[in-house]
Amino acid sequence: MSPRVTFPNKLLPYLLLAPQLAITIVFFYWPASQALRQSLLREDPFGLQSTFVGLANFRRVLNDPNYINAVQVTVIFSIATAFLAMALALLLAVMADKIIRGRGIYRTLLIWPYAVAPAIAGMLWLFMFNPAMGTFAYMLRSAGFGWDPLLNGPQAMTLVIAAAAWKQISYNFLFFVAGLQAIPKTLIEAAAIDGAGENKRFWTIVFPLLAPTTFFLLVINTTYAFFDTFGIIHAVTGGGPGKATETLVYKVYNDGFVNLILGDSAAQSVILMIIVIALTAIQFRYVEKKVHYG
Amino acid sequence: MATVELKDVRKTYGGTVEAVKGISLSIPDGAMCVLVGPSGCGKSTLLRMIAGLEAITSGTVSIDGKVVNTLGPAERDIAMVFQNYALYPHMKVYDNMAYGLRNRGTPKDEIDRRVRGAAATLGLTEFLERKPRELSGGQRQRVAMGRAIVRNPKAFLFDEPLSNLDAKLRGQMRVEIKNLQRSLGVTSVYVTHDQVEAMTLADTLVVMNQGVAEQIDTPMAIYARPATIFVAGFIGSPAMNLLAAEGGDNGKGLKLASGGFLKPRDIVLPESGRSVLLGVRPEHLTLVGDRKNADIELKVTAVETLGADTLAHGHSVSGDARSGELIARLPGNVGVDVDDLLPLAINAGSAHIFDAGTGRRV
Ligand SMILES: Nc1ncnc2c1ncn2[C@@H]1O[C@H](COP(=O)(O)OP(=O)(O)OP(=O)(O)O)[C@@H](O)[C@H]1O
Ligand SMILES: [Mg+2]
């Protein structure tokens, strides 16, 4: 057994934990409990009094076709964003790993997008693909492609997915590069001697050994796609056209802060919280089983 | 099974670091060639060029009479055992051994037969379903061997395969590797910096130093007639003693710098006045009864008792700075103490003479 560090003073460990606990309580538990309380109340239009209505808010939310639409949008958006962000990052990381000269420069350049705020990233993509003045929109149109994300739902979805994935690629790239570096070179050499070509080596040796990194990123990217993409959607489409890009988070915002239906909005955040907790639990319970830790 | 032939093979890293400076070598079919030398002398680099893991700067490597310079490692049909074993950590032992065969499209039942055969030879049958991390160092080493032998390649390449094992296991595996290599009759190149491994395993021994092959011969020939001072000092433990001397008058005998005159037999003697180094192995210094018959007198500074032998460290009483430390290997039953003065005779028939300038054997 390794020796345990013990504190001479009984109070000290709690004092050391206090800042972290305070932050968690103030910024997570307190709002979460407020949302929970709010989700069981109905507020009158002037916000003067509220009545306890039990699970009525939940019932209404779950029966709302708009909510079901938001679930579908979220599923498509999240899977596409996480997949795209991870696949492209892995591709870039594998490429960057092969470069010998100027390796550092490539890596630095590829990490920069991460420093761009989501709303700014959204604006960049919005400008590039704006039907009226965007460069890429112009190029698409002159290539004979009817590009109009302001009216066309699937195109709007494609645009927010691209922007959201682009923003996350840097982060994933960084982890994949580190993961690739942790794989001993001799394993790759042994596989080469064993007659495995480059593709085969990647899928039978490199990819399985990257599994811990990939799994970690899967959890992070799912959470990212669920929550952190709000700024991008807000800047690029505002949930439209129609409700084509209205994700669950965006709907929480829309109903609560724009339409001021606080009870419904709170019920939605509670459901969202449960979904993310369940999703993460499933990932750890089932996907992690397949992960090999060196 | 095949011959392996190197012709003036060179390797320069990044245009400046010359790791291998022109080595030519011919390994007959089924022989075991050992590359030995100090750390950084280019052994691994040379081996990796044979394997195809490192580009060859100039010269040619041929396997089975065919130049393989431009072939990838897979097409050279060789197998390699790495120092850290390089087992695929996410695959079971069985799959580790089967991997190379699967990649070459060997039929399933043939793979199974070969893997089980190799496992039986190496005593791995009960571990086939385990992952590498569930094995001991020695077992991992065996799996690495197994992965090499199932493929039935033209040549085995070993890069310090035993250096991660403890002394006892190393001795055991050394014998096993030798037996396996003999019985399979596969041409092998083995890199080590351990001279016991080098001496016991080699059919041909290559002593390397700073990218150059100092001597290529059988282990016994190298031990008996080291070509350079470097080889003399590197092969044999403890290392050969080197005494400063110069050719005696009219080319008869040697004048030791520490005083005294020696007449070695069976050896070419240097011209008079030429400054040389006299090499004497510790086991060729014998204790004589009195000072009159002694070639040198050793002032003992340290004693190591090994049981069968006793090693007496010291320096020549009348020695100048150049003569440095001397070691004599004496029978175990001789009582020696620090500060003793030992009269020693140099076994004149087993002396080696090297030119002090070039370091080459005279
Ligand atoms: N990729 C590389 N780039 C530049 N120099 C290298 C490279 N690989 C090896 N060298 C240099 O080449 C020389 C020989 O290296 P090598 O690995 O062949 O030594 P070695 O004899 O195997 O040593 P050891 O017993 O420590 O394994 C060393 O000086 C080393 O620094
Ligand atoms: Mg080496």
Side-chain angles (χ1 to χ4, degrees):
Chain A
M1 254 178 68
S2 58
R4 263 186 64 167
V5 179
T6 49
F7 289 98
N9 188 326
K10 284 240 183 316
L11 203 61
L12 183 62
Y14 296 101
L15 276 176
L16 292 174
L17 278 175
Q20 180 65 46
L21 281 177
I23 288 173
T24 315
I25 288 170
V26 171
F27 291 105
F28 180 73
Y29 286 106
W30 188 70
S33 67
Q34 282 300 304
L36 206 57
R37 195 176 71 90
Q38 192 73 254
S39 70
L40 303 174
L41 301 177
R42 168 167 307 152
E43 210 145 325
D44 71 12
F46 305 102
L48 295 177
Q49 51 171 297
S50 40
T51 21
F52 181 79
V53 291
L55 295 177
N57 288 333
F58 287 92
R59 225 168 287 138
R60 203 177 40 253
V61 163
L62 291 176
N63 282 325
D64 179 2
N66 283 335
Y67 191 74
I68 306 304
N69 172 61
V71 171
Q72 278 169 355
V73 168
T74 309
V75 169
I76 294 171
F77 174 77
S78 302
I79 292 178
T81 303
F83 178 78
L84 205 61
M86 287 171 67
L88 289 178
L90 181 57
L91 186 71
L92 288 172
V94 170
M95 296 301 187
D97 202 46
K98 277 197 215 151
I99 295 170
I100 296 172
R101 213 166 292 172
R103 206 180 244 212
I105 297 171
Y106 274 94
R107 287 188 191 161
T108 314
L109 288 179
L110 281 166
I111 286 158
W112 276 355
Y114 193 59
V116 178
I120 309 280
M123 291 311 284
L124 284 176
W125 282 80
L126 185 61
F127 278 130
M128 287 191 296
F129 288 95
N130 182 296
M133 56 186 181
T135 322
F136 287 98
Y138 176 77
M139 278 155 63
L140 280 172
R141 212 106 42 92
S142 49
F145 188 82
W147 175 253
D148 193 356
L150 295 186
L151 294 176
N152 183 319
Q155 288 184 5
M157 183 65 129
T158 312
L159 188 56
V160 280
I161 289 172
W166 174 80
K167 174 80 180 62
Q168 190 66 5
I169 283 177
S170 303
Y171 182 87
N172 297 348
F173 171 77
L174 201 62
F175 278 89
F176 277 131
V177 165
L180 286 174
Q181 276 178 338
I183 297 175
K185 279 276 165 294
T186 47
L187 283 186
I188 311 295
E189 292 175 349
I193 290 176
D194 264 342
E198 196 157 347
N199 248 321
K200 185 107 188 209
R201 286 203 294 271
F202 179 79
W203 290 112
T204 55
I205 309 288
V206 176
F207 192 69
L209 293 179
L210 270 182
T213 308
T214 312
F215 175 68
F216 164 78
L217 288 177
L218 179 67
V219 175
I220 296 290
N221 279 261
T222 316
T223 324
Y224 163 79
F226 263 78
F227 293 110
D228 290 354
T229 48
F230 172 81
I232 289 175
I233 296 175
H234 192 51
V236 178
T237 63
K243 293 192 174 300
T245 56
E246 189 179 66
T247 59
L248 289 170
V249 173
Y250 203 79
K251 192 165 164 55
V252 169
Y253 161 81
N254 233 356
D255 289 358
F257 293 85
V258 180
N259 301 331
L260 293 176
I261 315 169
L262 290 186
D264 282 14
S265 172
Q268 288 177 30
S269 1
V270 172
I271 296 172
L272 194 54
M273 216 153 37
I274 294 169
I275 291 177
V276 171
I277 291 172
L279 212 58
T280 311
I282 288 171
Q283 284 172 338
F284 271 95
R285 180 104 175 63
Y286 297 101
V287 185
E288 203 195 20
K289 284 239 171 80
K290 301 217 183 340
V291 172
H292 169 88
Y293 291 96
Chain B
M1 273 161 273
T3 56
V4 173
E5 192 138 356
L6 312 185
K7 281 213 187 86
D8 196 32
V9 172
R10 286 168 194 273
K11 176 74 190 181
T12 311
Y13 282 113
T16 47
V17 185
E18 267 199 296
V20 175
K21 302 170 189 164
I23 289 189
S24 300
L25 178 64
S26 170
I27 309 167
D29 188 15
M32 182 117 169
C33 169
V34 175
L35 308 178
V36 69
S39 188
C41 70
K43 310 180 290 286
S44 298
T45 305
L46 187 60
L47 191 75
R48 292 166 57 80
M49 284 194 282
I50 301 174
L53 296 172
E54 209 78 69
I56 300 165
T57 307
S58 72
T60 58
V61 172
S62 336
I63 297 175
D64 210 5
K66 192 173 131 214
V67 175
V68 295
N69 280 33
T70 55
L71 295 186
E75 299 152 308
R76 297 192 186 188
D77 196 14
I78 42 96
M80 184 153 167
V81 178
F82 293 84
Q83 176 173 358
N84 62 3
Y85 316 138
L87 300 179
Y88 312 123
H90 56 298
M91 294 185 198
K92 289 177 183 160
V93 169
Y94 186 98
D95 299 314
N96 260 284
M97 294 210 252
Y99 187 71
L101 294 172
R102 284 185 188 140
N103 288 334
R104 287 174 164 77
T106 315
K108 240 186 156 121
D109 49 344
E110 169 78 3
I111 293 179
D112 195 62
R113 205 175 51 70
R114 286 217 222 163
V115 169
R116 289 189 192 284
T121 314
L122 293 161
L124 285 171
T125 307
E126 54 184 310
F127 305 115
L128 282 176
E129 294 304 309
R130 292 213 200 157
K131 293 268 178 73
R133 83 186 111 122
E134 297 157 348
L135 299 176
S136 73
Q139 290 158 350
R140 282 179 215 183
Q141 166 63 50
R142 273 169 225 266
V143 177
M145 292 286 304
R147 195 167 62 180
I149 65 177
V150 288
R151 288 242 326 273
N152 212 349
K154 286 195 184 130
F156 286 151
L157 307 177
F158 300 88
D159 194 353
E160 308 203 22
L162 304 181
S163 58
N164 285 352
L165 302 178
D166 67 53
K168 184 157 175 253
L169 202 52
R170 207 181 310 155
Q172 203 178 315
M173 286 305 295
R174 194 174 70 218
V175 177
E176 265 180 57
I177 288 183
K178 181 78 200 170
N179 290 342
L180 203 60
Q181 191 269 335
R182 272 239 179 93
S183 64
L184 297 174
V186 178
T187 316
S188 304
V189 185
Y190 188 107
V191 164
T192 180
H193 58 243
D194 180 307
Q195 54 163 303
V196 180
E197 270 171 40
M199 294 296 286
T200 53
L201 290 176
D203 295 316
T204 309
L205 185 57
V206 180
V207 183
M208 287 180 63
N209 183 30
Q210 298 187 350
V212 174
E214 295 261 339
Q215 192 170 7
I216 303 175
D217 212 328
T218 63
M220 260 340 273
I222 288 179
Y223 179 82
R225 289 179 58 83
T228 63
I229 292 178
F230 176 82
V231 177
F234 195 80
I235 298 293
S237 172
M240 184 185 281
N241 297 303
L242 292 169
L243 301 159
E246 62 179 51
D249 299 336
N250 8 339
K252 288 190 186 134
L254 282 172
K255 262 200 290 201
L256 292 178
S258 57
F261 195 82
L262 196 67
K263 284 194 171 166
R265 283 177 278 115
D266 310 328
I267 202 165
V268 184
L269 287 166
E271 320 76 79
S272 118
R274 177 171 172 191
S275 90
V276 294
L277 287 172
L278 171 68
V280 185
R281 296 204 181 273
E283 48 271 41
H284 296 144
L285 284 172
T286 41
L287 203 54
V288 289
D290 60 285
R291 289 172 60 182
K292 261 186 263 143
N293 297 333
D295 294 312
I296 43 175
E297 244 184 317
L298 186 75
K299 174 147 169 81
V300 180
T301 54
V303 179
E304 287 179 283
T305 42
L306 306 176
D309 305 313
T310 298
L311 299 180
H313 298 244
H315 53 80
S316 171
V317 176
S318 52
D320 61 1
R322 276 186 302 168
S323 60
E325 201 200 4
L326 292 177
I327 302 176
R329 187 195 290 271
L330 306 172
N333 55 8
V334 179
V336 186
D337 273 321
V338 174
D339 285 342
D340 281 359
L341 287 182
L342 302 179
L344 296 172
I346 294 171
N347 190 343
S350 349
H352 310 267
I353 297 169
F354 304 98
D355 186 279
T358 64
R360 308 224 123 252
R361 189 178 188 88
V362 174

